[in-house]
Amino acid sequence: AQSVSQHNHHVILSEAASLELGCNYSYGGTVNLFWYVQYPGQHLQLLLKYFSGDPLVKGIKGFEAEFIKSKFSFNLRKPSVQWSDTAEYFCAVNAQGNTGKLIFGQGTTLQVKP
Amino acid sequence: DGGITQSPKYLFRKEGQNVTLSCEQNLNHDAMYWYRQDPGQGLRLIYYSQIVNDFQKGDIAEGYSVSREKKESFPLTVTSAQKNPTAFYLCASSPTRGGGIDTQYFGPGTRLTVL
């Protein structure tokens, strides 16, 4: 069965620190990849997505992610976090052809200290 | 104002009662989804529907039922058969993309508590 693993469950950083959140998936075929963010009290919203093309994807608010097919990974990065980045982050994967089945990781809670 | 609405925001029910959660979208999306969010477990797919009058079970469909009589509406019923119904329920919708999946857009969620 397909699965998505996010290695860090709870991350605490100071403002201006760099961020990298890990995401690995288990599926050997072609995939679509997503990072969603849930700010406190707000809807789950899309940060960025990868369907094809350049494996380095840029999203909103200065976030980016790199798809490394050989490592089955899609790690999220931001060079300098802000207090407003405090949120829960979810990686999600869809196996192409598996219509409607979006598999989410467990989520990573990021706390940024001012 | 386009988007996905879920009602109510908070819902309390007694054990043994069925309860229906509402989800409406005015984005003209074909596909709609129901997820359950529990702490430390991410989101798990309950049911999804790609077209009116058709829906499929997700990974944790037991104890739940859905209907899709209209494109904009996808209500979820949590039945008394669901062993652990207390959770945060999220509805999502997406356009179809060449028969595949596209970005899912989420509603604000309903927090269900069983007393």
Side-chain angles (χ1 to χ4, degrees), chain A residues 8-46:
Chain A
N8 317 99
H9 296 298
H10 198 155
V11 174
I12 302 174
L13 295 173
S14 297
E15 275 194 318
S18 64
L19 170 72
E20 181 159 2
L21 301 182
C23 174
N24 285 89
Y25 63 92
S26 62
Y27 181 71
T30 304
V31 292
N32 298 321
L33 300 156
F34 305 82
W35 274 98
Y36 282 87
V37 60
Q38 192 172 35
Y39 297 105
Q42 295 188 27
H43 297 201
L44 200 67
Q45 58 185 279
L46 181 71

Short mmCIF file of all heavy atoms in Angstrom, two decimals, chain A residues 8-46:
data_model
loop_
_atom_site.label_atom_id
_atom_site.label_comp_id
_atom_site.label_asym_id
_atom_site.label_seq_id
_atom_site.Cartn_x
_atom_site.Cartn_y
_atom_site.Cartn_z
N ASN A 8 9.79 14.55 10.64
CA ASN A 8 9.78 15.43 11.79
C ASN A 8 8.34 15.69 12.21
O ASN A 8 7.55 16.17 11.42
CB ASN A 8 10.45 16.77 11.44
CG ASN A 8 11.71 16.58 10.62
OD1 ASN A 8 11.69 16.72 9.40
ND2 ASN A 8 12.78 16.25 11.31
N HIS A 9 8.00 15.36 13.44
CA HIS A 9 6.63 15.60 13.89
C HIS A 9 6.47 17.00 14.48
O HIS A 9 5.41 17.60 14.37
CB HIS A 9 6.25 14.54 14.93
CG HIS A 9 6.23 13.16 14.35
ND1 HIS A 9 5.39 12.79 13.34
CD2 HIS A 9 6.98 12.07 14.61
CE1 HIS A 9 5.60 11.53 13.01
NE2 HIS A 9 6.57 11.07 13.77
N HIS A 10 7.53 17.47 15.12
CA HIS A 10 7.45 18.78 15.76
C HIS A 10 8.81 19.45 15.62
O HIS A 10 9.82 18.89 16.06
CB HIS A 10 7.08 18.63 17.24
CG HIS A 10 6.58 19.89 17.86
ND1 HIS A 10 5.75 19.90 18.96
CD2 HIS A 10 6.80 21.18 17.56
CE1 HIS A 10 5.47 21.15 19.30
NE2 HIS A 10 6.09 21.94 18.46
N VAL A 11 8.83 20.61 14.98
CA VAL A 11 10.06 21.35 14.75
C VAL A 11 9.94 22.73 15.38
O VAL A 11 8.92 23.41 15.20
CB VAL A 11 10.35 21.49 13.24
CG1 VAL A 11 11.54 22.38 13.00
CG2 VAL A 11 10.55 20.11 12.62
N ILE A 12 10.97 23.12 16.12
CA ILE A 12 11.00 24.44 16.73
C ILE A 12 12.22 25.18 16.20
O ILE A 12 13.35 24.67 16.28
CB ILE A 12 11.08 24.35 18.26
CG1 ILE A 12 9.88 23.57 18.81
CG2 ILE A 12 11.10 25.76 18.87
CD1 ILE A 12 9.94 23.32 20.31
N LEU A 13 11.99 26.36 15.63
CA LEU A 13 13.07 27.16 15.07
C LEU A 13 12.95 28.60 15.55
O LEU A 13 11.85 29.06 15.88
CB LEU A 13 13.01 27.16 13.54
CG LEU A 13 13.25 25.83 12.82
CD1 LEU A 13 12.97 25.98 11.33
CD2 LEU A 13 14.67 25.33 13.05
N SER A 14 14.05 29.29 15.51
CA SER A 14 14.04 30.73 15.74
C SER A 14 13.86 31.44 14.40
O SER A 14 14.20 30.90 13.34
CB SER A 14 15.34 31.18 16.39
OG SER A 14 15.49 30.58 17.65
N GLU A 15 13.32 32.63 14.46
CA GLU A 15 13.16 33.43 13.23
C GLU A 15 14.50 33.55 12.51
O GLU A 15 15.55 33.68 13.15
CB GLU A 15 12.61 34.81 13.57
CG GLU A 15 11.10 34.83 13.66
CD GLU A 15 10.55 36.26 13.65
OE1 GLU A 15 11.13 37.11 14.33
OE2 GLU A 15 9.53 36.49 12.95
N ALA A 16 14.44 33.53 11.18
CA ALA A 16 15.60 33.65 10.29
C ALA A 16 16.36 32.34 10.11
O ALA A 16 17.28 32.27 9.28
CB ALA A 16 16.57 34.74 10.72
N ALA A 17 16.01 31.32 10.87
CA ALA A 17 16.65 30.01 10.68
C ALA A 17 16.16 29.39 9.38
O ALA A 17 15.07 29.73 8.88
CB ALA A 17 16.34 29.09 11.85
N SER A 18 16.94 28.48 8.84
CA SER A 18 16.51 27.77 7.62
C SER A 18 15.69 26.56 8.00
O SER A 18 15.87 25.95 9.06
CB SER A 18 17.73 27.36 6.80
OG SER A 18 18.51 26.44 7.51
N LEU A 19 14.79 26.20 7.10
CA LEU A 19 13.85 25.11 7.35
C LEU A 19 14.00 24.05 6.27
O LEU A 19 14.08 24.37 5.08
CB LEU A 19 12.42 25.64 7.34
CG LEU A 19 11.29 24.60 7.35
CD1 LEU A 19 11.19 23.93 8.71
CD2 LEU A 19 9.97 25.24 6.96
N GLU A 20 13.99 22.80 6.70
CA GLU A 20 13.82 21.70 5.76
C GLU A 20 12.97 20.64 6.43
O GLU A 20 13.32 20.12 7.50
CB GLU A 20 15.15 21.08 5.31
CG GLU A 20 14.94 19.95 4.30
CD GLU A 20 16.15 19.63 3.46
OE1 GLU A 20 17.21 20.26 3.65
OE2 GLU A 20 16.05 18.76 2.58
N LEU A 21 11.84 20.33 5.83
CA LEU A 21 10.94 19.29 6.33
C LEU A 21 10.99 18.11 5.36
O LEU A 21 10.78 18.28 4.16
CB LEU A 21 9.51 19.81 6.45
CG LEU A 21 9.29 21.00 7.36
CD1 LEU A 21 7.80 21.36 7.42
CD2 LEU A 21 9.80 20.71 8.76
N GLY A 22 11.22 16.93 5.92
CA GLY A 22 11.37 15.76 5.08
C GLY A 22 10.04 15.10 4.74
O GLY A 22 9.09 15.11 5.53
N CYS A 23 9.97 14.54 3.53
CA CYS A 23 8.80 13.79 3.09
C CYS A 23 9.28 12.68 2.17
O CYS A 23 9.94 12.95 1.16
CB CYS A 23 7.81 14.69 2.35
SG CYS A 23 6.42 13.80 1.61
N ASN A 24 8.94 11.46 2.52
CA ASN A 24 9.23 10.32 1.67
C ASN A 24 7.95 9.53 1.40
O ASN A 24 7.07 9.49 2.26
CB ASN A 24 10.27 9.39 2.33
CG ASN A 24 11.65 9.97 2.26
OD1 ASN A 24 12.07 10.70 3.15
ND2 ASN A 24 12.37 9.65 1.21
N TYR A 25 7.88 8.95 0.23
CA TYR A 25 6.69 8.19 -0.12
C TYR A 25 7.11 6.82 -0.64
O TYR A 25 8.24 6.60 -1.06
CB TYR A 25 5.86 8.94 -1.17
CG TYR A 25 6.59 9.13 -2.48
CD1 TYR A 25 6.47 8.22 -3.51
CD2 TYR A 25 7.41 10.24 -2.68
CE1 TYR A 25 7.14 8.37 -4.70
CE2 TYR A 25 8.10 10.41 -3.87
CZ TYR A 25 7.96 9.48 -4.87
OH TYR A 25 8.65 9.63 -6.05
N SER A 26 6.16 5.92 -0.59
CA SER A 26 6.43 4.58 -1.08
C SER A 26 5.49 4.30 -2.25
O SER A 26 4.32 3.99 -2.04
CB SER A 26 6.21 3.54 0.01
OG SER A 26 4.86 3.55 0.43
N TYR A 27 5.99 4.46 -3.44
CA TYR A 27 5.26 4.09 -4.66
C TYR A 27 6.24 4.17 -5.80
O TYR A 27 6.95 5.16 -5.95
CB TYR A 27 4.08 5.03 -4.90
CG TYR A 27 3.30 4.66 -6.14
CD1 TYR A 27 2.51 3.51 -6.17
CD2 TYR A 27 3.37 5.43 -7.29
CE1 TYR A 27 1.82 3.14 -7.30
CE2 TYR A 27 2.68 5.07 -8.44
CZ TYR A 27 1.90 3.92 -8.43
OH TYR A 27 1.22 3.57 -9.55
N GLY A 28 6.30 3.14 -6.61
CA GLY A 28 7.32 3.07 -7.64
C GLY A 28 6.98 3.74 -8.94
O GLY A 28 7.85 3.93 -9.78
N GLY A 29 5.74 4.12 -9.14
CA GLY A 29 5.32 4.69 -10.41
C GLY A 29 5.35 6.20 -10.41
O GLY A 29 5.94 6.85 -9.55
N THR A 30 4.68 6.77 -11.38
CA THR A 30 4.62 8.23 -11.52
C THR A 30 3.69 8.82 -10.47
O THR A 30 2.60 8.30 -10.24
CB THR A 30 4.12 8.58 -12.93
OG1 THR A 30 4.98 7.96 -13.89
CG2 THR A 30 4.14 10.09 -13.14
N VAL A 31 4.13 9.91 -9.87
CA VAL A 31 3.35 10.50 -8.78
C VAL A 31 3.15 12.00 -8.99
O VAL A 31 3.92 12.66 -9.69
CB VAL A 31 4.02 10.29 -7.41
CG1 VAL A 31 4.00 8.82 -7.01
CG2 VAL A 31 5.44 10.84 -7.42
N ASN A 32 2.10 12.51 -8.38
CA ASN A 32 1.91 13.94 -8.20
C ASN A 32 2.15 14.23 -6.72
O ASN A 32 1.73 13.46 -5.86
CB ASN A 32 0.49 14.36 -8.57
CG ASN A 32 0.17 14.08 -10.03
OD1 ASN A 32 1.01 14.26 -10.90
ND2 ASN A 32 -1.04 13.63 -10.29
N LEU A 33 2.81 15.34 -6.42
CA LEU A 33 3.24 15.62 -5.05
C LEU A 33 2.77 16.99 -4.60
O LEU A 33 2.77 17.94 -5.40
CB LEU A 33 4.77 15.55 -4.97
CG LEU A 33 5.35 14.18 -5.36
CD1 LEU A 33 6.79 14.33 -5.83
CD2 LEU A 33 5.28 13.23 -4.18
N PHE A 34 2.40 17.09 -3.35
CA PHE A 34 1.83 18.33 -2.81
C PHE A 34 2.39 18.59 -1.42
O PHE A 34 2.69 17.67 -0.66
CB PHE A 34 0.30 18.21 -2.68
CG PHE A 34 -0.42 17.83 -3.95
CD1 PHE A 34 -0.49 16.51 -4.35
CD2 PHE A 34 -1.05 18.80 -4.71
CE1 PHE A 34 -1.17 16.15 -5.52
CE2 PHE A 34 -1.73 18.45 -5.88
CZ PHE A 34 -1.79 17.13 -6.27
N TRP A 35 2.49 19.88 -1.09
CA TRP A 35 2.65 20.31 0.29
C TRP A 35 1.49 21.26 0.60
O TRP A 35 1.25 22.22 -0.14
CB TRP A 35 3.97 21.04 0.53
CG TRP A 35 5.12 20.13 0.83
CD1 TRP A 35 6.07 19.69 -0.04
CD2 TRP A 35 5.46 19.56 2.10
NE1 TRP A 35 6.97 18.88 0.61
CE2 TRP A 35 6.62 18.78 1.92
CE3 TRP A 35 4.90 19.65 3.39
CZ2 TRP A 35 7.23 18.09 2.96
CZ3 TRP A 35 5.50 18.96 4.42
CH2 TRP A 35 6.66 18.19 4.20
N TYR A 36 0.80 20.94 1.70
CA TYR A 36 -0.27 21.79 2.20
C TYR A 36 0.14 22.36 3.55
O TYR A 36 0.92 21.75 4.29
CB TYR A 36 -1.57 21.00 2.39
CG TYR A 36 -2.33 20.71 1.11
CD1 TYR A 36 -2.04 19.59 0.34
CD2 TYR A 36 -3.35 21.55 0.68
CE1 TYR A 36 -2.75 19.31 -0.83
CE2 TYR A 36 -4.07 21.29 -0.48
CZ TYR A 36 -3.76 20.17 -1.21
OH TYR A 36 -4.47 19.90 -2.37
N VAL A 37 -0.45 23.50 3.90
CA VAL A 37 -0.17 24.12 5.19
C VAL A 37 -1.49 24.47 5.87
O VAL A 37 -2.47 24.84 5.22
CB VAL A 37 0.70 25.39 5.04
CG1 VAL A 37 0.01 26.44 4.17
CG2 VAL A 37 1.06 25.98 6.39
N GLN A 38 -1.50 24.32 7.18
CA GLN A 38 -2.69 24.66 7.97
C GLN A 38 -2.26 25.63 9.06
O GLN A 38 -1.67 25.21 10.07
CB GLN A 38 -3.29 23.38 8.56
CG GLN A 38 -4.67 23.55 9.17
CD GLN A 38 -5.29 22.20 9.55
OE1 GLN A 38 -4.59 21.27 9.97
NE2 GLN A 38 -6.60 22.09 9.40
N TYR A 39 -2.50 26.92 8.83
CA TYR A 39 -2.20 27.92 9.84
C TYR A 39 -3.25 27.83 10.96
O TYR A 39 -4.38 27.42 10.70
CB TYR A 39 -2.19 29.32 9.24
CG TYR A 39 -1.11 29.50 8.20
CD1 TYR A 39 -1.41 29.52 6.84
CD2 TYR A 39 0.22 29.63 8.57
CE1 TYR A 39 -0.43 29.66 5.88
CE2 TYR A 39 1.22 29.77 7.62
CZ TYR A 39 0.88 29.78 6.28
OH TYR A 39 1.86 29.91 5.34
N PRO A 40 -2.90 28.22 12.16
CA PRO A 40 -3.85 28.12 13.27
C PRO A 40 -5.19 28.77 12.95
O PRO A 40 -5.24 29.94 12.56
CB PRO A 40 -3.12 28.84 14.41
CG PRO A 40 -1.68 28.71 14.08
CD PRO A 40 -1.59 28.75 12.59
N GLY A 41 -6.25 28.01 13.06
CA GLY A 41 -7.59 28.53 12.84
C GLY A 41 -7.97 28.76 11.39
O GLY A 41 -9.02 29.35 11.11
N GLN A 42 -7.14 28.31 10.46
CA GLN A 42 -7.44 28.56 9.05
C GLN A 42 -7.60 27.25 8.27
O GLN A 42 -7.31 26.17 8.76
CB GLN A 42 -6.33 29.39 8.41
CG GLN A 42 -6.21 30.79 8.97
CD GLN A 42 -5.23 31.64 8.16
OE1 GLN A 42 -5.02 31.41 6.96
NE2 GLN A 42 -4.65 32.63 8.81
N HIS A 43 -8.10 27.40 7.03
CA HIS A 43 -8.27 26.26 6.14
C HIS A 43 -6.93 25.66 5.78
O HIS A 43 -5.90 26.33 5.77
CB HIS A 43 -8.89 26.70 4.81
CG HIS A 43 -10.25 27.27 4.90
ND1 HIS A 43 -11.11 27.32 3.82
CD2 HIS A 43 -10.92 27.83 5.92
CE1 HIS A 43 -12.23 27.87 4.19
NE2 HIS A 43 -12.15 28.21 5.45
N LEU A 44 -6.94 24.39 5.45
CA LEU A 44 -5.79 23.76 4.82
C LEU A 44 -5.64 24.38 3.44
O LEU A 44 -6.61 24.47 2.67
CB LEU A 44 -6.08 22.26 4.69
CG LEU A 44 -4.91 21.32 4.50
CD1 LEU A 44 -4.05 21.30 5.76
CD2 LEU A 44 -5.39 19.92 4.20
N GLN A 45 -4.42 24.85 3.13
CA GLN A 45 -4.23 25.48 1.82
C GLN A 45 -2.97 24.97 1.15
O GLN A 45 -2.03 24.55 1.81
CB GLN A 45 -4.20 27.00 1.95
CG GLN A 45 -3.13 27.55 2.87
CD GLN A 45 -3.25 29.06 3.03
OE1 GLN A 45 -2.80 29.80 2.17
NE2 GLN A 45 -3.86 29.49 4.11
N LEU A 46 -2.96 25.07 -0.18
CA LEU A 46 -1.84 24.54 -0.95
C LEU A 46 -0.64 25.46 -0.87
O LEU A 46 -0.75 26.68 -1.07
CB LEU A 46 -2.27 24.39 -2.41
CG LEU A 46 -1.22 23.81 -3.35
CD1 LEU A 46 -1.03 22.33 -3.06
CD2 LEU A 46 -1.64 24.00 -4.80
#
